[in-house]
Amino acid sequence: MSPPATAAARPLVTVQSVEGDMAIDGAARRMALLAEQHRVKAKAEKLEKKRKRPKEEHEAEDIQHGPLPVEQLQASGIVAGDVQKLKDVGFYTIEAVVYSPRKELLQIEGIGKAKVYKIIEAGMSL
């Protein structure tokens, strides 16, 4: 007499992983595949971070150091005509404008007290 058939033996499957080949059944195989996918994804994310890091350092190098050209005041809302007036009288950098006496800026034709304060405020914000 043969023993009663209770449960069919599950076939074992060989799975390749980073750690080596393993012989496992179906449920464990699924778990092993998910774990392997997680490890691969984590490794890919780590490599991606490493790859992006030099780019961020490059962007930091793109920041301008030294005197800023007076044309950059336009980005802060100063009209091109006023910027040109500043250049016409010899102000070529924002620092020159910001650190000059207000009385000197008031001498520029077409630039009044309100504009002087607006220009200085815009220059200090850059």
Side-chain angles (χ1 to χ4, degrees):
M1 270 180 112
S2 66
T6 52
R10 294 185 192 168
L12 294 179
V13 178
T14 302
V15 177
Q16 282 187 327
S17 75
V18 175
E19 295 147 358
D21 295 343
M22 298 183 288
I24 52 178
D25 67 9
R29 178 176 168 245
R30 174 84 175 129
M31 293 289 288
L33 289 174
L34 289 174
E36 185 67 21
Q37 287 173 350
H38 184 271
R39 280 192 292 272
V40 169
K41 184 178 178 183
K43 188 173 182 177
E45 287 172 356
K46 187 176 179 181
L47 289 173
E48 184 69 19
K49 283 181 183 179
K50 272 187 177 180
R51 191 178 61 111
K52 284 185 178 182
R53 197 170 298 138
K55 182 179 179 183
E56 292 168 354
E57 291 172 7
H58 255 37
E59 290 172 359
E61 292 174 3
D62 292 342
I63 297 172
Q64 183 177 354
H65 299 284
L68 300 172
V70 76
E71 289 85 3
Q72 288 190 2
L73 287 172
Q74 291 178 8
S76 295
I78 306 301
V79 290
D82 292 338
V83 172
Q84 187 59 46
K85 290 175 188 174
L86 291 168
K87 287 174 63 178
D88 289 344
V89 295
F91 292 105
Y92 296 102
T93 66
I94 292 174
E95 291 79 7
V97 174
V98 171
Y99 295 116
S100 68
R102 288 179 175 82
K103 288 182 181 180
E104 189 176 339
L105 294 173
L106 287 169
Q107 299 297 319
I108 301 171
E109 190 175 324
I111 295 184
K113 191 174 184 178
K115 278 189 186 178
V116 167
Y117 285 106
K118 185 177 176 184
I119 289 169
I120 290 172
E121 186 177 321
M124 292 181 98
S125 70
L126 294 175

